[in-house]
Tab-separated table of all heavy atoms in Angstrom:
chain	number	residue	atom	x	y	z
A	401	ASP	N	-12.396	6.189	-9.543
A	401	ASP	CA	-12.254	6.475	-8.062
A	401	ASP	C	-10.671	6.428	-7.788
A	401	ASP	O	-10.034	5.495	-8.154
A	401	ASP	CB	-12.888	5.353	-7.232
A	401	ASP	CG	-14.382	5.504	-7.187
A	401	ASP	OD1	-14.940	6.160	-8.075
A	401	ASP	OD2	-15.014	4.994	-6.222
A	402	VAL	N	-10.208	7.438	-7.088
A	402	VAL	CA	-8.823	7.512	-6.763
A	402	VAL	C	-8.584	7.747	-5.332
A	402	VAL	O	-9.270	8.604	-4.755
A	402	VAL	CB	-8.122	8.733	-7.618
A	402	VAL	CG1	-6.613	8.798	-7.212
A	402	VAL	CG2	-8.354	8.595	-9.032
A	403	GLU	N	-7.748	6.937	-4.756
A	403	GLU	CA	-7.444	7.111	-3.297
A	403	GLU	C	-6.426	8.175	-3.083
A	403	GLU	O	-5.307	8.040	-3.596
A	403	GLU	CB	-6.916	5.768	-2.653
A	403	GLU	CG	-6.898	5.689	-1.189
A	403	GLU	CD	-6.457	4.397	-0.584
A	403	GLU	OE1	-5.801	3.653	-1.312
A	403	GLU	OE2	-6.844	4.210	0.579
A	404	ARG	N	-6.815	9.202	-2.244
A	404	ARG	CA	-5.939	10.330	-2.082
A	404	ARG	C	-5.078	10.148	-0.792
A	404	ARG	O	-3.930	10.677	-0.682
A	404	ARG	CB	-6.819	11.522	-1.890
A	404	ARG	CG	-7.527	11.988	-3.204
A	404	ARG	CD	-6.586	12.323	-4.305
A	404	ARG	NE	-7.171	12.487	-5.597
A	404	ARG	CZ	-6.506	12.345	-6.759
A	404	ARG	NH1	-5.182	12.076	-6.694
A	404	ARG	NH2	-7.060	12.521	-7.862
A	405	ALA	N	-5.660	9.566	0.167
A	405	ALA	CA	-4.977	9.232	1.442
A	405	ALA	C	-5.600	7.948	1.934
A	405	ALA	O	-6.630	7.454	1.444
A	405	ALA	CB	-5.166	10.357	2.449
A	406	PRO	N	-4.967	7.289	2.888
A	406	PRO	CA	-5.579	5.950	3.321
A	406	PRO	C	-7.087	6.130	3.545
A	406	PRO	O	-7.497	6.774	4.428
A	406	PRO	CB	-4.703	5.650	4.552
A	406	PRO	CG	-3.482	6.203	4.279
A	406	PRO	CD	-3.764	7.478	3.608
A	407	ASP	N	-7.890	5.330	2.820
A	407	ASP	CA	-9.327	5.198	2.914
A	407	ASP	C	-9.999	6.504	2.634
A	407	ASP	O	-11.207	6.722	2.951
A	407	ASP	CB	-9.802	4.814	4.339
A	407	ASP	CG	-9.262	3.343	4.690
A	407	ASP	OD1	-9.307	2.609	3.755
A	407	ASP	OD2	-8.858	3.256	5.849
A	408	GLN	N	-9.367	7.516	1.909
A	408	GLN	CA	-10.019	8.731	1.459
A	408	GLN	C	-9.982	8.751	-0.051
A	408	GLN	O	-8.864	8.729	-0.629
A	408	GLN	CB	-9.341	9.925	2.022
A	408	GLN	CG	-9.357	10.031	3.608
A	408	GLN	CD	-8.522	11.189	4.088
A	408	GLN	OE1	-8.414	12.177	3.416
A	408	GLN	NE2	-8.163	11.075	5.395
A	409	TRP	N	-11.158	8.810	-0.712
A	409	TRP	CA	-11.282	8.634	-2.096
A	409	TRP	C	-11.880	9.856	-2.771
A	409	TRP	O	-12.780	10.534	-2.161
A	409	TRP	CB	-12.128	7.411	-2.473
A	409	TRP	CG	-11.480	6.182	-1.974
A	409	TRP	CD1	-11.393	5.562	-0.735
A	409	TRP	CD2	-10.828	5.232	-2.874
A	409	TRP	NE1	-10.647	4.444	-0.746
A	409	TRP	CE2	-10.253	4.156	-2.042
A	409	TRP	CE3	-10.509	5.144	-4.210
A	409	TRP	CZ2	-9.506	3.047	-2.599
A	409	TRP	CZ3	-9.871	4.098	-4.768
A	409	TRP	CH2	-9.413	3.040	-3.856
A	410	SER	N	-11.535	10.074	-4.034
A	410	SER	CA	-12.159	11.130	-4.761
A	410	SER	C	-12.638	10.419	-6.142
A	410	SER	O	-12.209	9.330	-6.451
A	410	SER	CB	-11.214	12.358	-5.094
A	410	SER	OG	-10.122	11.880	-5.985
A	411	THR	N	-13.507	11.159	-6.848
A	411	THR	CA	-14.060	10.576	-8.139
A	411	THR	C	-13.789	11.618	-9.240
A	411	THR	O	-13.691	12.909	-9.030
A	411	THR	CB	-15.481	10.267	-8.029
A	411	THR	OG1	-16.199	11.544	-7.761
A	411	THR	CG2	-15.801	9.286	-6.960
A	412	ASP	N	-13.792	11.072	-10.472
A	412	ASP	CA	-13.633	11.953	-11.661
A	412	ASP	C	-14.634	11.381	-12.643
A	412	ASP	O	-14.690	10.255	-12.918
A	412	ASP	CB	-12.204	11.975	-12.192
A	412	ASP	CG	-11.287	12.634	-11.351
A	412	ASP	OD1	-11.315	13.892	-11.453
A	412	ASP	OD2	-10.448	11.999	-10.622
A	413	ARG	N	-15.307	12.412	-13.368
A	413	ARG	CA	-16.330	11.966	-14.432
A	413	ARG	C	-15.552	11.226	-15.555
A	413	ARG	O	-16.061	10.250	-16.058
A	413	ARG	CB	-17.002	13.154	-14.973
A	413	ARG	CG	-18.079	12.921	-15.950
A	413	ARG	CD	-18.752	14.163	-16.466
A	413	ARG	NE	-17.805	14.908	-17.230
A	413	ARG	CZ	-17.435	14.817	-18.477
A	413	ARG	NH1	-17.985	13.834	-19.142
A	413	ARG	NH2	-16.501	15.563	-19.083
A	414	VAL	N	-14.453	11.695	-15.916
A	414	VAL	CA	-13.641	10.974	-16.876
A	414	VAL	C	-12.163	10.962	-16.325
A	414	VAL	O	-11.790	11.710	-15.440
A	414	VAL	CB	-13.542	11.692	-18.333
A	414	VAL	CG1	-14.918	11.670	-18.899
A	414	VAL	CG2	-13.036	13.146	-18.190
A	415	TRP	N	-11.382	10.106	-16.826
A	415	TRP	CA	-10.013	9.921	-16.347
A	415	TRP	C	-9.125	9.538	-17.487
A	415	TRP	O	-9.347	8.703	-18.250
A	415	TRP	CB	-9.911	8.839	-15.292
A	415	TRP	CG	-8.663	8.814	-14.435
A	415	TRP	CD1	-8.391	9.632	-13.495
A	415	TRP	CD2	-7.471	8.087	-14.764
A	415	TRP	NE1	-7.119	9.425	-12.990
A	415	TRP	CE2	-6.592	8.475	-13.777
A	415	TRP	CE3	-7.087	7.021	-15.659
A	415	TRP	CZ2	-5.275	7.884	-13.658
A	415	TRP	CZ3	-5.861	6.474	-15.586
A	415	TRP	CH2	-4.965	6.934	-14.586
A	416	PRO	N	-7.900	10.310	-17.550
A	416	PRO	CA	-7.488	11.499	-16.711
A	416	PRO	C	-8.541	12.674	-16.924
A	416	PRO	O	-9.327	12.729	-17.914
A	416	PRO	CB	-6.229	11.887	-17.284
A	416	PRO	CG	-5.576	10.705	-17.943
A	416	PRO	CD	-6.874	10.037	-18.475
A	417	PRO	N	-8.601	13.551	-15.921
A	417	PRO	CA	-9.705	14.635	-15.978
A	417	PRO	C	-9.424	15.545	-17.076
A	417	PRO	O	-8.350	15.667	-17.577
A	417	PRO	CB	-9.539	15.208	-14.642
A	417	PRO	CG	-8.151	14.955	-14.175
A	417	PRO	CD	-7.823	13.606	-14.738
A	418	SER	N	-10.500	16.224	-17.467
A	418	SER	CA	-10.386	17.196	-18.584
A	418	SER	C	-9.440	18.353	-17.996
A	418	SER	O	-9.400	18.596	-16.848
A	418	SER	CB	-11.699	17.801	-18.893
A	418	SER	OG	-12.345	18.361	-17.781
A	419	GLY	N	-8.705	18.882	-18.954
A	419	GLY	CA	-7.766	19.957	-18.482
A	419	GLY	C	-6.341	19.384	-18.286
A	419	GLY	O	-5.421	20.120	-17.860
A	420	THR	N	-6.118	18.019	-18.437
A	420	THR	CA	-4.873	17.357	-18.220
A	420	THR	C	-4.090	17.617	-19.438
A	420	THR	O	-4.605	17.118	-20.576
A	420	THR	CB	-5.004	15.936	-17.829
A	420	THR	OG1	-5.738	15.836	-16.630
A	420	THR	CG2	-3.612	15.321	-17.542
A	421	ARG	N	-2.833	18.100	-19.452
A	421	ARG	CA	-2.043	18.370	-20.593
A	421	ARG	C	-0.626	17.911	-20.318
A	421	ARG	O	-0.086	18.037	-19.223
A	421	ARG	CB	-2.084	19.745	-21.057
A	421	ARG	CG	-3.405	20.315	-21.340
A	421	ARG	CD	-3.834	19.792	-22.683
A	421	ARG	NE	-5.174	20.364	-23.121
A	421	ARG	CZ	-6.387	19.878	-22.774
A	421	ARG	NH1	-6.443	18.732	-22.016
A	421	ARG	NH2	-7.440	20.393	-23.190
A	422	GLN	N	0.082	17.405	-21.306
A	422	GLN	CA	1.469	17.079	-21.134
A	422	GLN	C	2.235	18.489	-21.157
A	422	GLN	O	2.125	19.340	-21.922
A	422	GLN	CB	2.006	16.353	-22.374
A	422	GLN	CG	1.492	14.924	-22.360
A	422	GLN	CD	2.115	14.044	-21.335
A	422	GLN	OE1	3.057	14.417	-20.592
A	422	GLN	NE2	1.695	12.772	-21.191
A	423	THR	N	2.988	18.661	-20.011
A	423	THR	CA	3.679	19.879	-19.795
A	423	THR	C	5.204	19.587	-19.610
A	423	THR	O	5.522	18.659	-18.839
A	423	THR	CB	3.118	20.697	-18.530
A	423	THR	OG1	1.761	20.869	-18.707
A	423	THR	CG2	3.882	21.949	-18.322
A	424	THR	N	6.092	20.309	-20.242
A	424	THR	CA	7.561	20.101	-20.094
A	424	THR	C	8.059	20.875	-18.927
A	424	THR	O	7.982	22.009	-18.836
A	424	THR	CB	8.191	20.528	-21.434
A	424	THR	OG1	7.647	19.729	-22.455
A	424	THR	CG2	9.642	20.157	-21.389
A	425	LEU	N	8.809	20.106	-18.044
A	425	LEU	CA	9.571	20.741	-17.006
A	425	LEU	C	11.010	20.337	-17.162
A	425	LEU	O	11.325	19.273	-17.756
A	425	LEU	CB	9.114	20.164	-15.558
A	425	LEU	CG	7.607	20.483	-15.215
A	425	LEU	CD1	7.384	19.954	-13.855
A	425	LEU	CD2	7.372	21.958	-15.293
A	426	ARG	N	11.904	21.159	-16.803
A	426	ARG	CA	13.323	21.060	-17.205
A	426	ARG	C	14.214	21.221	-15.934
A	426	ARG	O	13.885	22.052	-14.987
A	426	ARG	CB	13.795	22.165	-18.183
A	426	ARG	CG	12.895	22.042	-19.485
A	426	ARG	CD	13.261	23.107	-20.440
A	426	ARG	NE	12.452	23.142	-21.612
A	426	ARG	CZ	12.577	22.310	-22.646
A	426	ARG	NH1	13.499	21.389	-22.654
A	426	ARG	NH2	11.740	22.374	-23.630
A	427	PRO	N	15.240	20.448	-15.828
A	427	PRO	CA	16.219	20.499	-14.668
A	427	PRO	C	17.243	21.516	-15.018
A	427	PRO	O	17.747	21.717	-16.125
A	427	PRO	CB	16.779	19.129	-14.592
A	427	PRO	CG	16.772	18.589	-16.139
A	427	PRO	CD	15.612	19.329	-16.652
A	428	ARG	N	17.756	22.209	-13.952
A	428	ARG	CA	18.795	23.150	-13.977
A	428	ARG	C	19.680	22.943	-12.752
A	428	ARG	O	19.264	22.488	-11.775
A	428	ARG	CB	18.282	24.633	-13.994
A	428	ARG	CG	17.296	24.830	-15.036
A	428	ARG	CD	17.142	26.489	-15.267
A	428	ARG	NE	16.839	27.218	-14.076
A	428	ARG	CZ	15.738	27.349	-13.475
A	428	ARG	NH1	14.698	26.748	-13.900
A	428	ARG	NH2	15.580	28.064	-12.379
A	429	GLY	N	21.018	23.266	-13.000
A	429	GLY	CA	21.911	23.145	-11.820
A	429	GLY	C	21.614	24.149	-10.759
A	429	GLY	O	20.952	25.159	-10.931
A	430	GLY	N	22.025	23.895	-9.538
A	430	GLY	CA	21.936	24.783	-8.474
A	430	GLY	C	23.247	25.214	-7.839
A	430	GLY	O	24.329	25.019	-8.538
A	431	ALA	N	23.252	25.731	-6.612
A	431	ALA	CA	24.500	26.257	-6.004
A	431	ALA	C	25.382	25.015	-5.545
A	431	ALA	O	26.575	25.249	-5.362
A	431	ALA	CB	24.201	27.082	-4.827
A	432	THR	N	24.784	23.835	-5.421
A	432	THR	CA	25.461	22.719	-4.914
A	432	THR	C	25.471	21.673	-6.003
A	432	THR	O	24.426	21.414	-6.565
A	432	THR	CB	24.966	22.204	-3.571
A	432	THR	OG1	24.897	23.279	-2.603
A	432	THR	CG2	25.712	21.086	-3.022
A	433	ALA	N	26.547	20.973	-6.188
A	433	ALA	CA	26.574	19.835	-7.070
A	433	ALA	C	25.497	18.760	-6.807
A	433	ALA	O	25.457	18.285	-5.702
A	433	ALA	CB	27.935	19.123	-7.169
A	434	GLY	N	24.779	18.366	-7.765
A	434	GLY	CA	23.815	17.333	-7.653
A	434	GLY	C	22.462	17.750	-7.015
A	434	GLY	O	21.579	16.977	-6.838
A	435	VAL	N	22.407	19.063	-6.554
A	435	VAL	CA	21.182	19.571	-5.993
A	435	VAL	C	20.674	20.690	-6.842
A	435	VAL	O	21.184	21.795	-6.744
A	435	VAL	CB	21.415	20.043	-4.525
A	435	VAL	CG1	20.121	20.487	-3.888
A	435	VAL	CG2	22.090	18.881	-3.730
A	436	GLY	N	19.775	20.428	-7.660
A	436	GLY	CA	19.397	21.464	-8.812
A	436	GLY	C	17.968	21.882	-8.590
A	436	GLY	O	17.230	21.628	-7.694
A	437	VAL	N	17.481	22.600	-9.693
A	437	VAL	CA	16.101	23.208	-9.753
A	437	VAL	C	15.315	22.612	-10.808
A	437	VAL	O	15.827	22.265	-11.881
A	437	VAL	CB	16.376	24.699	-9.949
A	437	VAL	CG1	14.946	25.395	-10.153
A	437	VAL	CG2	17.150	25.337	-8.790
A	438	LEU	N	14.041	22.433	-10.577
A	438	LEU	CA	13.108	21.922	-11.583
A	438	LEU	C	12.039	23.032	-11.909
A	438	LEU	O	11.388	23.523	-10.992
A	438	LEU	CB	12.410	20.737	-11.008
A	438	LEU	CG	11.405	19.916	-12.009
A	438	LEU	CD1	12.163	19.355	-13.216
A	438	LEU	CD2	10.630	18.872	-11.294
A	439	GLY	N	11.919	23.345	-13.147
A	439	GLY	CA	11.078	24.388	-13.595
A	439	GLY	C	10.802	24.296	-15.067
A	439	GLY	O	10.959	23.322	-15.799
A	440	THR	N	10.279	25.432	-15.543
A	440	THR	CA	9.930	25.450	-16.984
A	440	THR	C	11.035	26.014	-17.848
A	440	THR	O	11.071	26.011	-19.037
A	440	THR	CB	8.735	26.331	-17.270
A	440	THR	OG1	8.839	27.664	-16.709
A	440	THR	CG2	7.439	25.708	-16.619
A	441	GLU	N	12.134	26.675	-17.152
A	441	GLU	CA	13.191	27.326	-17.774
A	441	GLU	C	14.306	26.345	-18.166
A	441	GLU	O	14.696	25.519	-17.394
A	441	GLU	CB	13.756	28.358	-16.785
A	441	GLU	CG	14.524	29.477	-17.524
A	441	GLU	CD	14.978	30.561	-16.473
A	441	GLU	OE1	14.033	30.989	-15.729
A	441	GLU	OE2	16.082	30.848	-16.440
Side-chain angles (χ1 to χ4, degrees):
D401 280 29
V402 180
E403 189 175 26
R404 295 295 170 203
D407 296 323
Q408 297 177 24
W409 294 76
S410 66
T411 62
D412 288 283
R413 185 183 62 82
V414 295
W415 195 81
S418 57
T420 304
R421 298 289 183 271
Q422 291 286 356
T423 304
T424 300
L425 299 183
R426 302 179 185 278
R428 305 194 310 278
T432 304
V435 182
V437 177
L438 183 65
T440 56
E441 201 176 309

